[in-house]
Every structure is written in structure tokens, then in C-alpha cells.
Amino acid sequence: MKKVLSLVLALAMVFSLAACGSKDDGKTTTAAQNDGTTAAAPAETAAGGETEAGKEAGAETEGAKEGVMPAIAKEDLKIGVIHITDPAEGSGYTYTHDQGIVGMQKNLGLSDDQIVRKNNVNDSDATAIETAIQECLEEGCNVIFATSWGFMDTCEALAEEYPEVIFSHGTGYKSNGKNFNNYFGRIYQARYLSGIAAGLKTESNKIGYVAAMGKDNSEVTGGCDAFAMGVYSVNPDAEIYVRVTNSWFDPEGETQAANALLDLGCDVIGQHCDTPNPQLAAEAAGVWGVGYNSDMSKDAPKAALTSVVWDWSVYYTYAVESIVNGTWTGENYFAGLKEGLVDISPLADFCAEGTEEKINEAREKLLSGEWDVFSGLIETNEGEVVCEEGQTLDDATITGGINWYFKNIVAE
């Protein structure tokens, strides 16, 4: 059946081929995990045109590259989206990815029947993942966006089996340079900015952080470090206490971790996990928090100082445009503040005085390209030096080699 399906899809694509264009639209490397939008409104574009966001998030080099896959006419597109949970949750990781799909659909003028969603696909169940993707293929999907870390290996295998279908995997690190790539972003830049808000607001100089994974996961650990470094830049006396849930999505565990941090005296709760529960716990305790994925002021309006947010429509619009235009290169994608993929939500009016000015100062340095979060002297909480003055950690290290905590972090 699979081979028959492959033949049918291949024949269907023959009738939709267009000349391959040229543009270097790839990024260098990517990160590790799962994890929305609301950083900015999706960039509008005429149907079939390229958004400004897409142009920004494309190539950083002037040399053009030909697409490695045949173009697919817009009217022939059918896009499968594999979600780990349900977008109806309305706040966390899956919600923000799906808002990115909605933004892309609006930008490019795609009809509802061109999007096939598979929700609540357990990313630790290889059979469930393959079943969901196979169902998309049987419905005629020629592009698959798989949004969670655990979908990676199945996408890799199916990309080899169905070479005419494009598989784009969120987070992760595997790719084949043709019909299977990965995408993520410099979320650590936004985390640094949010740390400034936390560091200026704390009164106890104890800040909590609910982490989905421990030090072995560079995405989570690097984000935690960036948050801690933002805190340190404005308040070197503050300490960050980390509690790990060992799950990307664990509503009860996230609440328990937040409450444990509150019991330690933390008066700001940051997070790298998928529900707003840590913010709800902070609000219930009468303290403050920093949300993640989407603007969690809608969930905890009395607590959320700001939130670290994604605008996934930037990537999804860019990717689908390149498929339509025949400029899909199969390269990995890793964008940040400059491209509008990551940001922080508007600051609450109860942020400490001077917060906006300090954040804007740091933002300008990041946007200038002359400085990044993991630049200059960096010391760990074990007394090691992992970066020297005049140096900047490369993307491979940021996405796969940060297995240490910054010097003001206390692991709980």
C-alpha cells in the first residue's frame, strides 16, 4: 500500500512541477526539543508572494541556491500537521504552533481543506506517530510539519520511503538536506530579555524556573542559562532555583514544581514547559512570573510580567512559500529576534521601574549582530569557564553542547 501511495503521489506531483528558482534560504543548525506565536502579527502578503518576514528569515548569504525539490503549485498543496497535544488548550506549545499554521494559511490564501491536523499524537509512541503521518499521506498531503522532538526518527524514516514528500521537523537535529529538514529558533535571545524583567522585579532575590528537562538537554538548559544571564545583568545578587519535571507536557507536575519553588521563597517563577500552570501558581501565591510559548497574561494577568513567545507563522510562511516557488533547499532553519520568530510579549504595568529601558538596551545590542547572549566571559555554577572574552559560542554548541548551568543557578 505504501509503495502504491508513493507512486500516486509522485504521479500527482508531475502535473504540478514548476521551474526551480534560486535563493539561499537555509539556516545553519537547530536545537533540541518541542516547543508558539503572538510575538508579532503574521506578515501579510499577496497570495503566492513572499512576506518580508520570509525574506528576513531566509538566507544570510548573497549566493543563490537552486531548490532541491520540484515546486508544488499552491492549489496542489496539502499540508499535514502533527501535534503532540491539542491546540484547543489555548496557551501552550501546540497552540502556538497551530497559530503559526493559521497565520501561514492566511498569508498564503490556502483553503481549510488544504490543512490536515493530527492532534494528541504521543511523541514517544512510534506506532502512533507513523499512523498519524500515514493518514496524512493517504489524504494526499505532500508536505508534513511535525512539531515535536519525538517525531524526528519517524520523519527521518518516512522521508526516505517517500522522497517526493517534504518532511519538516520542529526542534530536533536530524535532516537529509533534501526532503527532510529541521527548524527551531534563537529562543534564548528572548529568554535573556525576560530575565531582565525578572531580575529587576524580585524582592527576595530568589527566582524559580520550572524546566521540562535537565542538564542533558541543551535547549532547555541553554534557555535557562540565558534567562539567568539576563537576571544577572541587572541583579547579580539574585539566584535562580531550577525544578525539573522530566516532561514537556505535565500539568500536574508543572504545578507541583512551581509550588515547591514558591515554598523556597521564590517570588518570580519562570518556565520552560507547556502549560500556564506555573504562572497560575505564582498568581495564586501573590507573586510574579514569566510565561512561555504565548502571552500568558491572558492566563495569569496579575502575575505575568511578560512571556517568552514564538511567532511560528514566520517559519511556516517562509517554508511553504519556498516550496511553491521551487526554492526549497532542504537546509535547516534557525532564526531569532531579528527575523521576528521569537520575542517577548508586552510588559505588564507592574514591572519594576526602568524595565522597559533595560530590555530595549539589550534588544538593540542583540539586533545589531555585534553581540549575542552567549558572548564574552561565561562561568558555570561549578566554577568552570565555558566562554572567554572576545568569544561567542557557535550554534552547534548552543543547540547541542550546553550541559552546564550559569553561575547564579541553584539546581533543585
Side-chain angles (χ1 to χ4, degrees), residues 210 254-264 269 281-282 285:
V210 180
E254 292 166 27
T255 298
Q256 291 173 349
N259 285 332
L261 292 166
L262 292 166
D263 289 343
L264 291 174
I269 303 295

Side-chain angles (χ1 to χ4, degrees), residues 176-190:
N176 66 11
K178 189 172 182 181
N179 71 319
F180 172 48
N181 82 325
N182 61 66
Y183 59 96
F184 199 62
R186 301 182 187 279
I187 197 66
Y188 63 86
Q189 294 178 334

Side-chain angles (χ1 to χ4, degrees), residues 116-174:
V116 177
R117 292 172 172 84
K118 300 296 177 180
N119 300 331
N120 295 311
V121 180
N122 186 339
D123 78 341
S124 62
D125 184 338
T127 300
I129 299 166
E130 181 167 3
T131 297
I133 295 176
Q134 289 287 0
E135 288 175 354
C136 288
L137 296 174
E138 289 168 6
E139 292 183 52
C141 292
N142 41 25
V143 179
I144 302 290
F145 290 116
T147 64
S148 184
W149 166 266
F151 300 151
M152 176 172 59
D153 290 345
T154 303
C155 284
E156 179 183 36
L158 291 177
E160 183 176 354
E161 185 169 356
Y162 298 100
E164 71 284 355
V165 176
I166 290 174
F167 294 81
S168 191
H169 173 244
T171 76
Y173 59 89
K174 292 184 176 181

Side-chain angles (χ1 to χ4, degrees), residues 109-407:
L110 302 183
S111 62
D112 288 343
D113 62 7
Q114 289 179 274
I115 311 294
V116 177
R117 292 172 172 84
K118 300 296 177 180
N119 300 331
N120 295 311
V121 180
N122 186 339
D123 78 341
S124 62
D125 184 338
T127 300
I129 299 166
E130 181 167 3
T131 297
I133 295 176
Q134 289 287 0
E135 288 175 354
C136 288
L137 296 174
E138 289 168 6
E139 292 183 52
C141 292
N142 41 25
V143 179
I144 302 290
F145 290 116
T147 64
S148 184
W149 166 266
F151 300 151
M152 176 172 59
D153 290 345
T154 303
C155 284
E156 179 183 36
L158 291 177
E160 183 176 354
E161 185 169 356
Y162 298 100
E164 71 284 355
V165 176
I166 290 174
F167 294 81
S168 191
H169 173 244
T171 76
Y173 59 89
K174 292 184 176 181
S175 61
N176 66 11
K178 189 172 182 181
N179 71 319
F180 172 48
N181 82 325
N182 61 66
Y183 59 96
F184 199 62
R186 301 182 187 279
I187 197 66
Y188 63 86
Q189 294 178 334
R191 289 202 183 278
Y192 182 93
L193 299 182
S194 73
I196 294 173
L200 290 173
K201 187 63 177 180
T202 182
E203 297 173 357
S204 68
N205 279 339
K206 290 184 176 182
I207 296 171
Y209 195 91
V210 180
M213 298 293 166
K215 281 204 298 184
D216 59 333
N217 185 284
S218 295
E219 179 197 334
V220 178
T221 305
C224 180
D225 286 338
F227 176 79
M229 293 165 76
V231 171
Y232 186 82
S233 72
V234 294
N235 185 353
D237 295 326
E239 292 183 313
I240 287 73
Y241 292 77
V242 179
R243 280 291 175 102
V244 178
T245 65
N246 291 308
S247 175
W248 300 118
F249 179 80
D250 182 359
E252 182 179 353
E254 292 166 27
T255 298
Q256 291 173 349
N259 285 332
L261 292 166
L262 292 166
D263 289 343
L264 291 174
C266 297
D267 60 359
V268 181
I269 303 295
Q271 66 178 84
H272 185 145
C273 53
D274 287 356
T275 79
N277 288 12
Q279 303 308 299
L280 297 175
E283 186 170 77
V287 297
W288 307 285
V290 173
Y292 180 44
N293 284 309
S294 67
D295 185 350
M296 289 186 172
S297 65
K298 65 185 180 303
D299 305 289
K302 296 179 181 179
L305 300 168
T306 185
S307 296
V308 177
V309 297
W310 295 91
D311 184 353
W312 287 112
S313 71
V314 172
Y315 173 68
Y316 291 127
T317 300
Y318 151 73
V320 175
E321 282 180 332
S322 72
I323 293 167
V324 171
N325 296 335
T327 57
W328 169 268
T329 66
E331 293 179 337
N332 299 335
Y333 181 96
F334 194 47
L337 275 174
K338 179 181 178 182
E339 297 83 5
L341 183 70
V342 306
D343 210 329
I344 59 173
S345 62
L347 298 174
D349 58 11
F350 47 81
C351 282
E353 184 177 353
T355 298
E356 184 175 7
E357 290 78 7
K358 286 292 186 181
I359 287 176
N360 285 342
E361 180 182 325
R363 179 191 295 275
E364 288 305 312
K365 289 172 62 179
L366 286 165
L367 291 175
S368 73
E370 298 175 0
W371 175 85
D372 204 358
V373 173
F374 296 109
S375 295
L377 180 64
I378 301 175
E379 299 175 87
T380 75
N381 62 0
E382 296 180 350
E384 298 179 358
V385 174
V386 292
C387 189
E388 303 278 2
E389 289 292 351
Q391 296 180 339
T392 296
L393 298 185
D394 60 23
D395 286 349
T397 300
I398 292 170
T399 59
I402 295 183
N403 305 115
W404 43 264
Y405 283 135
F406 187 62
K407 61 184 178 182

Side-chain angles (χ1 to χ4, degrees), residues 1-14 134 137-138 141 158-165 167:
M1 175 63 186
K2 293 178 182 178
K3 300 304 181 185
V4 172
L5 178 57
S6 294
L7 180 59
V8 171
L9 287 171
L11 290 173
M13 289 184 68
V14 168
Q134 289 287 0
L137 296 174
E138 289 168 6
C141 292
L158 291 177
E160 183 176 354
E161 185 169 356
Y162 298 100
E164 71 284 355
V165 176
F167 294 81

